[in-house]
Every structure is written in C-alpha cells, then in structure tokens.
Amino acid sequence: MIEWSLSHTYHSPEGRVRWERFGEGRPIILLHGTPNWSVIWRNIAPRLAERWAVYAFDWPGFGTSDRYPGQNVSWDEQPRRLVELVAHWGLERPAIVAFDFAPIFALRAQLLEGLELGPLVLADAAVIPPFVTDFSRQARENIGTFRQLPTHIAEGMIRAHIERTTRHPMPPEVIDAYMWPWSGQEGVAAYWRAVECYDEHLARPLVPRLAALSQPGCPALPL
C-alpha cells in the first residue's frame, strides 16, 4: 500500500485544492498530468526537497482535491489555478516541472495568463497535437455512451488504460494508487469529466510560441 497525503487546502473557485510543501530553498512546483495525480511525485519530491522547497498539489477534479458534477476542469481553466496557487504561496518566478498534459497548463499560465516562471522542465510533454490516445479520443467523442457504462466495466477499462501508459509493467500497488481516485461511481464520473476536457485545440495556440520561450531549463535538478 502506497502512503501519500497532502495536508494543506487552498479554496479555489473550482473547489478545494489539496497541496503540500517539502523542504527548504528555491521554490519548485511539481505539476502532475492526467489521468494521474500527485502520488506520481511520491519518490521524486523527497529527493528534490534535499535542495529545493517543493510544492505538490492535485488539480481540481483529480486525486485528493475536490471532484463534483458541473466542476470546470477544462484546459483553459486549470492554468488559472496555477496562477492563483503561486500567488497564494507568495512565490516569485518558481521553477516548474510539468508532466504529461500539465505542460499545457504551465504554458497557458505563462503565455496567456501572464504568470512569470523561472526554470521550466516539460517532462513527457503533450503539447504539440495530436497527442490524445485513441482510447481517450473515443471516450471524448462518445462521452454520453461511456457515461452509461456500469461502474465495474468502466473501472476495468480505466485500469487497463492506466496499465498501458508506462513502458514497463507497474507493480499492482502502484496501479492501485493511480486507480484510487477513479474508483467507484463518483470516481468514474470524475474520470469522464476529465476526459471530456481533453481538447487539443487549447494546445494549438501554444505551438507557434514555443520558440520564443526564454527561461532556462533546470540543469541542477538532483534527479
């Protein structure tokens, strides 16, 4: 069983955001993608905390943060939560590590919402379309049908999808940890809400601006 918890709460316009800080030093924010959540940083955060003040959180609609019907977890709304959190924490030009779809949120926050960032790491970045998987694309295009699936069938499909997102097989306890937010009727409903927001059109405006990014990378990260 994997232990991971976030002890702080930020009250955002889209519900409570759970977050945690580890260590001291220059600030670095870890942004998880989808369909994962902050547990993905469970091994990385302690290592980085030896030299950095590490901030990890769950996006609204994910992990331990609030998830509810009608919640706006769209790719143009999530970047605003990052802007708010940076202000809430009182950070100036924090370093960012953004994984999977989170680079879209980080880049939109910087390029379209005016957030000033420091060093930027885009890990396994989904930014240049097309990048949505066939399963997620089919689910988004037929979201009404997928929402009518029995919970246990939907859970099986979601679990099978997560199992195929890594190059090497994951131990059962890791898959269980990644599946935890998407289990049960409420979890499955939250998963389909997230998938419904997989909108590559919101990434397209970023592509021609990538060459203009001026901030350095993070060569000193002790990974």
Side-chain angles (χ1 to χ4, degrees), residues 30-31 57 62 77-78 97 118 140 148 154 207:
L30 306 180
L31 307 181
F57 69 94
F62 291 78
E77 185 66 21
Q78 298 285 43
V97 176
R140 183 173 187 266
Q148 294 180 41
V207 177

Side-chain angles (χ1 to χ4, degrees), residues 96-115:
I96 294 283
V97 176
F99 174 71
D100 188 54
F101 288 179
I104 298 172
F105 306 159
L107 291 171
R108 286 186 66 92
Q110 180 190 26
L111 298 175
L112 303 180
E113 302 292 337
L115 180 62

Side-chain angles (χ1 to χ4, degrees), residues 16 21 31 51 64 68 101 138 155 168 182 215-216:
R16 294 170 298 180
R21 171 178 166 164
L31 307 181
R51 297 176 58 181
T64 57
Y68 55 84
F101 288 179
Q138 287 294 324
E155 285 180 343
H168 301 291
W182 314 123
Q215 67 263 51

